[in-house]
Amino acid sequence: MKYTRRKFVKTLGAGSALLMLSAIPTFSEPLFTGDKKLGVALVGLGNYATHELAPALQETSLCYLSGIVTGTPAKAERWRSQYNIPGSNIYNYENFDKIIDNESIDVVYVVLPNSMHHEFVIRAAKAGKHVFCEKPMALSVKECEEMIDACSKAGVKLFVGYRLHSDPYHKAAMKFRAEGDSGILYVQSEFGFKIGDPTQWRLKKALAGGGAMMDLGIYAIQAARYSIGKEPQSVTAQEYKTDPQKFAEVDETITWQMEFPGGHVSNSYTSYSTPANNLYISTERRWFNLMPAFNYGGIEGRTNEGELNFPRINQQAVQMDTFSNCIINNIESDASGKEGLKDLKVIEAIYKSIENGSKVKV
Amino acid sequence: MKYTRRKFVKTLGAGSALLMLSAIPTFSEPLFTGDKKLGVALVGLGNYATHELAPALQETSLCYLSGIVTGTPAKAERWRSQYNIPGSNIYNYENFDKIIDNESIDVVYVVLPNSMHHEFVIRAAKAGKHVFCEKPMALSVKECEEMIDACSKAGVKLFVGYRLHSDPYHKAAMKFRAEGDSGILYVQSEFGFKIGDPTQWRLKKALAGGGAMMDLGIYAIQAARYSIGKEPQSVTAQEYKTDPQKFAEVDETITWQMEFPGGHVSNSYTSYSTPANNLYISTERRWFNLMPAFNYGGIEGRTNEGELNFPRINQQAVQMDTFSNCIINNIESDASGKEGLKDLKVIEAIYKSIENGSKVKV
């Protein structure tokens, strides 16, 4: 069966935004035919762009890899031949703004080091392009607000690369609270791994803005927020450092607690030293667990009722198709810039709590 | 095959105390014959004594239910007929001290509300009896020290009812750190359930000394301590209350973090409102998880290498046989009064951290 665009739109019209996303879990078939796919230009050809996003863009139904932005001519040449990208769709960081004249690029996907998100999202917006931006959205609340403002003024949509919003296990986590009893919710979320190369940009404050918290902790914040379905009112946080040389500029390990309206509590952990990869949600009578929780694939889940078994998806492909669908059909995304801003508010409160040694209002 | 006492002692002599305990995991057969079993008197015939300890004492090899101490004559009568206990082995709280003259009682097992542990352990010691005492050992470090002192002066052994020291899943947790890589250890432990009857002694500060922390949190402290195999140097803790009426006197929900030498960290949760029942241990390359972790039975476990499958044991029976073995063969227990004292030191630091809103040295 092929979905026509008309049928697709009709299906989408039947429910809320969340239900709509649930209705299109795998994109194994094109969702509509007859219209051109959105052209996506990747900005920053690092590991994630190279090994995840570019391959995913070979599987997407609503968008495709139409351009690249890179400061490395050798990379440009390699990508050009590998993905058959026209020379006119290849930019560097200096001439990037000329992308405004390129009709075959509808979306700019910013996959640069964190500190460059702010600049390139705003430049993309000024060039009239919709923007996908990797997480963390930026280094501060102020930057996020400026990025949202720029996209709003330019009339373009801004999305943050929260790939797990597209994952069926995490969609189940989001829905868990609504089924059966509500009770007191407790969420325990933790994401860490041992980071390698001590010279990488992720360990430099000027480029990364922070360490494990900015890179991995944000997943645990996200998971607590979408499992509980509310915004935290206050946080407490504690920092630990075992390798002050490697982690001279950024955080190595942090534990933090969030208090939500209604007495809901989350307790979390992130680390660049020790692996951890769990999400646990508990109500009065039911529980939900993902372990491993935050991988690109191979997520495993169980609840008080038994094992969860969802089909494995390409998170990045579904994410980009979901964002594209929001653009095409003018739908508000649950992974918009506003969502990215909320996480930065929490992260700023966490760092402030560590600095003050006390509870901080979000 | 029957173990003779000689063979048993020889087996025990072959390794360390921990290995010795590992060597006698199920007590499916008597460990020695020819000597009399130790007589155990239960003090306080509440739920745990009635539904767990008394039935377990029907399965033990090295000890048996020889007496009871209760303030309720109707209970005395019921137990006397059910367990064939001689009238001369039945005491109340007033005449309890006469137990000194009773040669058929070797051990007193104190299963009273927490606030009464201190008094009855000391009275039992003064009566020359070895003591098993339920957890938490007492309400304070000071009480624990007095109890240890009294038992030491009386030349009797003091054990705390840490039933999970006898459980194969928790023995595996204790051993996990020693196998393979050591790396940075992270432990996440959480134990909570929704407590029922709002009039019960566990919600009264004078009797319980505290709420979820004293009753359930202590398991999470224990698990972190024996998984890491070191003593915490400092703690931070946070308290949450959703039902100030029900929990007017004691803590409802607490999260806390412990810092151990070598940079090891634990992050824990306990609650009388929301169920949680997990233990997660992570090193650089390996992980270990129990969920549920703290039940009397039905513990399930898995590691990075696959499922754990240990035989289900009667934790209470193995615990009491293990303690009895320590008495018979004069072995130091890993669940002695000193171990109970260590937990109370942590608990006092947790309550102090909540009060001060800051990090507290243990």
Side-chain angles (χ1 to χ4, degrees):
Chain A
M1 184 179 81
K2 294 238 176 191
Y3 278 98
T4 61
R5 176 166 184 167
R6 194 166 167 185
K7 180 161 180 185
F8 176 50
V9 173
K10 197 176 160 200
T11 305
L12 288 175
S16 71
L18 194 66
L19 287 172
M20 279 185 261
L21 299 186
S22 309
I24 43 172
T26 61
F27 287 88
S28 57
E29 296 181 290
L31 287 163
F32 62 94
T33 55
D35 290 284
K36 80 171 183 72
K37 290 179 173 186
L38 299 179
V40 176
L42 295 177
V43 187
L45 307 182
N47 276 331
Y48 194 62
T50 304
H51 300 298
E52 304 298 334
L53 296 178
L57 280 162
Q58 312 310 306
E59 296 185 28
T60 42
S61 302
L62 305 183
C63 56
Y64 76 107
L65 177 60
S66 67
I68 51 174
V69 184
T70 175
T72 312
K75 279 190 188 173
E77 197 46 48
R78 201 158 59 242
W79 282 63
R80 174 187 192 148
S81 63
Q82 183 173 355
Y83 292 110
N84 200 27
I85 299 168
S88 57
N89 288 3
I90 298 176
Y91 296 83
N92 58 41
Y93 300 129
E94 287 68 44
N95 67 15
F96 168 70
D97 308 282
K98 292 187 182 167
I99 209 166
I100 192 171
D101 299 319
N102 192 326
E103 290 192 356
S104 63
I105 294 172
D106 304 286
V107 177
V108 164
Y109 197 150
V110 178
V111 207
L112 294 160
N114 306 342
S115 64
M116 299 168 78
H117 292 183
H118 176 255
E119 175 190 341
F120 276 83
V121 166
I122 291 173
R123 284 170 72 180
K126 285 186 177 165
K129 306 302 179 185
H130 299 289
V131 194
F132 302 166
C133 175
E134 256 318 299
K135 41 62 56 182
M137 180 172 160
L139 301 192
S140 68
V141 167
K142 183 171 173 288
E143 283 190 350
C144 291
E145 287 170 342
E146 290 169 358
M147 291 152 79
I148 291 169
D149 195 45
C151 290
S152 172
K153 281 189 180 136
V156 298
K157 286 191 185 288
L158 170 58
F159 305 83
V160 182
Y162 291 125
R163 60 187 167 81
L164 295 175
H165 284 233
S166 298
D167 187 275
Y169 288 92
H170 287 263
K171 286 186 181 182
M174 293 171 193
K175 286 169 66 183
F176 184 71
R177 68 180 182 275
E179 292 165 9
D181 63 2
S182 54
I184 305 301
L185 276 169
Y186 165 62
V187 173
Q188 182 264 318
S189 57
E190 48 193 11
F191 191 23
F193 58 62
K194 186 171 172 68
I195 198 162
D197 178 10
T199 68
Q200 65 189 285
W201 69 261
R202 290 193 177 281
L203 299 176
K204 299 191 194 314
K205 175 140 187 171
L207 291 170
M213 174 56 64
M214 279 294 205
D215 185 20
L216 309 179
I218 195 169
Y219 284 99
I221 293 169
Q222 272 277 306
R225 287 182 48 244
Y226 57 65
S227 298
I228 291 174
K230 297 179 181 176
E231 295 308 312
Q233 297 169 308
S234 64
V235 301
T236 45
Q238 306 80 35
E239 186 181 6
Y240 315 90
K241 202 162 280 196
T242 64
D243 191 340
Q245 195 178 345
K246 185 170 183 178
F247 302 101
E249 299 188 19
V250 299
D251 45 285
E252 174 187 342
T253 299
I254 292 176
T255 49
W256 71 102
Q257 303 74 41
M258 303 195 277
E259 283 187 81
F260 294 77
H264 306 321
V265 171
S266 67
N267 196 11
S268 299
Y269 169 88
T270 191
S271 178
Y272 264 162
S273 291
T274 304
N277 203 328
N278 297 325
L279 170 61
Y280 174 82
I281 311 170
S282 182
T283 73
E284 243 179 70
R285 286 184 291 273
R286 301 180 312 124
W287 57 264
F288 176 102
N289 175 240
L290 302 181
M291 188 175 76
F294 301 111
N295 293 355
Y296 296 154
I299 294 173
E300 293 179 23
R302 54 206 74 81
T303 75
N304 53 295
E305 293 184 348
E307 294 287 319
L308 294 172
N309 277 300
F310 293 112
R312 180 164 179 165
I313 62 155
N314 183 321
Q315 292 166 351
Q316 290 80 8
V318 178
Q319 172 202 293
M320 289 188 281
D321 267 343
T322 304
F323 291 174
S324 298
N325 180 51
C326 289
I327 293 169
I328 294 163
N329 293 293
N330 195 26
I331 294 166
E332 179 75 13
S333 169
D334 65 352
S336 73
K338 288 178 193 166
E339 181 72 3
L341 168 65
K342 286 175 187 170
D343 283 342
L344 261 297
K345 283 183 178 170
V346 175
I347 289 174
E348 284 194 354
I350 286 169
Y351 284 134
K352 195 172 170 190
S353 174
I354 290 168
E355 200 181 320
N356 296 355
S358 63
K359 187 186 285 193
V360 170
K361 284 191 181 177
V362 178
Chain B
M1 185 181 78
K2 293 235 176 194
Y3 278 93
T4 62
R5 178 167 182 165
R6 193 168 167 183
K7 179 162 181 183
F8 176 50
V9 172
K10 196 177 160 200
T11 304
L12 288 174
S16 70
L18 193 66
L19 286 172
M20 279 185 261
L21 299 184
S22 309
I24 43 170
T26 63
F27 287 88
S28 57
E29 296 180 290
L31 286 164
F32 62 94
T33 55
D35 290 284
K36 81 171 182 72
K37 290 180 173 185
L38 299 179
V40 175
L42 295 176
V43 187
L45 306 181
N47 276 330
Y48 194 62
T50 305
H51 300 297
E52 304 298 333
L53 296 179
L57 281 163
Q58 312 311 305
E59 296 185 27
T60 42
S61 302
L62 304 183
C63 56
Y64 75 107
L65 177 61
S66 68
I68 51 174
V69 184
T70 175
T72 312
K75 277 190 190 175
E77 197 45 50
R78 200 159 59 242
W79 281 62
R80 174 186 190 147
S81 62
Q82 183 174 353
Y83 292 110
N84 200 28
I85 298 169
S88 57
N89 288 2
I90 298 177
Y91 296 84
N92 59 40
Y93 300 129
E94 287 69 43
N95 67 15
F96 168 70
D97 308 282
K98 292 186 181 167
I99 209 165
I100 193 172
D101 300 319
N102 193 325
E103 291 192 356
S104 64
I105 293 173
D106 305 286
V107 178
V108 164
Y109 196 151
V110 178
V111 207
L112 294 160
N114 305 343
S115 64
M116 300 168 76
H117 292 184
H118 176 256
E119 176 189 342
F120 277 82
V121 166
I122 291 173
R123 285 170 71 180
K126 286 186 176 166
K129 305 302 180 188
H130 299 289
V131 194
F132 302 166
C133 176
E134 256 318 299
K135 39 65 53 184
M137 179 173 161
L139 303 191
S140 68
V141 168
K142 184 171 173 288
E143 283 190 350
C144 291
E145 287 170 342
E146 289 168 359
M147 293 153 78
I148 291 168
D149 195 45
C151 290
S152 172
K153 280 188 182 139
V156 299
K157 286 191 184 286
L158 170 58
F159 305 84
V160 183
Y162 291 125
R163 59 186 168 82
L164 295 175
H165 284 233
S166 298
D167 188 276
Y169 288 92
H170 287 263
K171 286 186 181 181
M174 292 170 194
K175 286 170 66 183
F176 184 71
R177 67 180 182 275
E179 293 166 7
D181 62 2
S182 53
I184 305 302
L185 276 169
Y186 165 62
V187 173
Q188 182 264 318
S189 58
E190 48 192 12
F191 192 23
F193 58 62
K194 186 173 171 68
I195 198 162
D197 178 12
T199 68
Q200 66 189 283
W201 69 262
R202 290 194 177 279
L203 299 176
K204 298 191 196 311
K205 175 140 189 173
L207 291 169
M213 175 55 65
M214 280 293 205
D215 186 20
L216 310 179
I218 195 169
Y219 284 98
I221 293 169
Q222 273 277 306
R225 288 183 47 245
Y226 56 64
S227 298
I228 292 175
K230 297 180 181 176
E231 295 309 311
Q233 297 170 308
S234 63
V235 301
T236 45
Q238 306 79 34
E239 187 181 7
Y240 315 90
K241 204 162 277 197
T242 63
D243 191 339
Q245 197 178 344
K246 185 169 183 178
F247 301 100
E249 298 188 20
V250 299
D251 46 284
E252 174 187 340
T253 299
I254 292 176
T255 50
W256 72 102
Q257 301 75 42
M258 302 194 279
E259 284 187 81
F260 294 77
H264 306 321
V265 172
S266 67
N267 195 9
S268 299
Y269 168 89
T270 190
S271 178
Y272 264 162
S273 291
T274 304
N277 203 328
N278 297 325
L279 171 61
Y280 174 82
I281 310 169
S282 182
T283 73
E284 244 179 68
R285 286 184 291 272
R286 302 179 311 123
W287 57 265
F288 177 102
N289 174 240
L290 302 181
M291 188 175 77
F294 301 109
N295 293 355
Y296 295 155
I299 294 173
E300 294 179 22
R302 55 205 75 80
T303 75
N304 52 295
E305 293 184 349
E307 295 288 318
L308 294 172
N309 277 299
F310 295 111
R312 181 163 177 164
I313 61 154
N314 184 322
Q315 290 167 352
Q316 290 80 9
V318 178
Q319 172 203 293
M320 290 188 282
D321 267 342
T322 304
F323 291 174
S324 299
N325 180 52
C326 288
I327 293 169
I328 294 163
N329 293 294
N330 194 26
I331 295 167
E332 180 74 14
S333 169
D334 64 353
S336 73
K338 288 179 194 165
E339 179 72 4
L341 168 65
K342 287 175 186 168
D343 283 342
L344 262 296
K345 282 184 178 169
V346 175
I347 290 175
E348 285 193 354
I350 287 170
Y351 283 134
K352 195 171 169 191
S353 174
I354 290 168
E355 200 182 319
N356 296 356
S358 63
K359 187 187 285 193
V360 170
K361 284 191 182 178
V362 179

